[in-house]
Amino acid sequence: MARAFAPELLERLRAAKHVAVLTGAGVSAESGVPTFQGGFWGKYSPEEMATAAGFRKNPSLVWNWYGERRRELANVHPNPGHYALAQLEQRGVRCTVITQNIDGLHQKAGSTRVIELHGSLLRAKCFSCEAAAPAGWEQATQSPPPCAVCGSWLRPEVVWYGENLPPKAWDEALDASCECDLFFSIGTASQVYPAASLPQEALRAGVPVAEINPDYTPLTAAMTYVLRGPSGQVLPELLAATWPK
Ligand code: OAD
Ligand code: ZN
């Protein structure tokens, strides 16, 4: 049986000029990427793999672990949830995708306005001076290569615990959240800040917010709409219900 959506939500989506979407690891789960709470770190801990202290302690281990994650992405494909978000643009909706994911799958699916809050597995930068990595950095599979500017190590350009979000990405995300007509929070446990504050900022600005997740989150009770289920199913069904053939 087809899922029932609140008619008012469908109306709002149909009329929306600008939709902002916050995505988390759950959006990529159906592509086979483990969520952070579902095994992403493998046998390691976030302290070892996702802090500056962990990198200083064992730069080669960390560099190679991210390299493996990056190489795995070659065989990872967007799922119907990613494609549905990209299709919103084809419907003439301006869709700002604010993602906490570092896998590049929204771009692979065709979304053109993607804000990466937590960086990307596909880029590297200097650990000290933050200069962008020179071409060919991906070839280094033993230890992090040196920065061409200052000689320090290169590191993955992902945001680690205790680090600030890229300021431009954050400013753009906040603006989009407060200026859009409809906000979706999809596949995120809503536990890591400041990202988890974006749906709350949208609500404060008077924007209706819909959560798509198979589970409850700390923000579920505050949501305008709650769509329970995997995003790879819910999003295509939502588009089909909004724009029936
Ligand atoms: P989590 O792993 O914390 O949460 C994943 C969320 O996805 C949970 O709420 C699941 O219920 C939901 N989920 C699972 N399968 C799903 C599906 N098929 N469709 C929709 N939702 C599904 O991941 P995030 O909330 O993204 O930060 O984590 C946020 C940040 O914490 C990450 O970006 C990372 C992590 O530490 C950094 O590394 C800086
Ligand atoms: Zn440097």
Side-chain angles (χ1 to χ4, degrees):
M1 206 177 78
R3 189 185 303 267
F5 295 100
E8 191 193 70
L9 169 62
L10 303 183
E11 277 302 313
R12 282 187 151 139
L13 181 53
R14 212 173 288 131
K17 295 202 163 47
H18 182 194
V19 168
V21 181
L22 174 67
T23 66
V27 162
S28 295
E30 288 155 272
S31 294
V33 183
T35 63
F36 293 96
Q37 294 177 21
F40 182 76
W41 304 115
K43 62 182 173 180
Y44 299 106
S45 65
E47 287 74 24
E48 288 169 289
M49 283 303 150
T51 63
F55 181 73
R56 258 191 222 101
K57 203 164 162 191
N58 204 336
S60 297
L61 178 77
V62 174
W63 177 260
N64 289 326
W65 187 84
Y66 281 93
E68 280 170 30
R69 303 287 81 69
R70 191 184 69 251
R71 286 187 288 279
E72 280 169 7
L73 286 181
N75 300 316
V76 172
H77 306 289
N79 66 58
H82 297 105
Y83 286 119
L85 292 175
Q87 273 165 25
L88 274 182
E89 294 188 32
Q90 287 152 23
R91 294 258 165 213
V93 181
R94 177 173 162 208
C95 180
T96 306
V97 177
I98 305 160
T99 190
Q100 301 167 82
N101 300 342
I102 56 177
D103 55 29
L105 288 179
H106 287 298
Q107 292 93 329
K108 249 191 190 177
S111 285
T112 62
R113 308 172 61 90
V114 182
I115 299 173
E116 292 178 319
L117 282 186
H118 290 167
S120 172
L121 274 173
L122 305 173
R123 295 191 297 273
K125 66 175 182 180
C126 175
F127 182 65
S128 299
C129 76
E130 303 208 354
W137 63 269
E138 298 96 334
Q139 309 305 321
T141 52
Q142 293 307 312
S143 51
C147 168
V149 178
C150 77
S152 176
W153 296 301
L154 296 184
R155 57 165 275 182
E157 196 177 321
V158 297
V159 176
W160 285 335
Y161 288 94
E163 296 179 335
N164 292 327
L165 270 50
K168 184 166 169 278
W170 175 251
D171 289 348
E172 288 175 3
L174 197 55
D175 285 350
S177 303
C178 298
E179 288 166 4
C180 62
D181 306 309
L182 184 57
F183 186 103
F184 287 91
S185 177
I186 310 177
T188 176
S190 300
Q191 286 168 359
V192 171
Y193 282 79
S197 67
L198 291 173
Q200 300 171 76
E201 292 297 337
L203 286 167
R204 226 192 304 275
V207 175
V209 180
E211 181 178 76
I212 302 178
N213 199 306
D215 282 323
Y216 290 87
T217 77
L219 297 186
T220 302
M223 293 290 147
T224 321
Y225 307 101
V226 177
L227 312 183
R228 192 128 328 284
S231 49
Q233 290 175 23
V234 174
L235 278 166
E237 290 176 20
L238 176 64
L239 262 68
T242 304
W243 292 282
K245 284 204 179 81

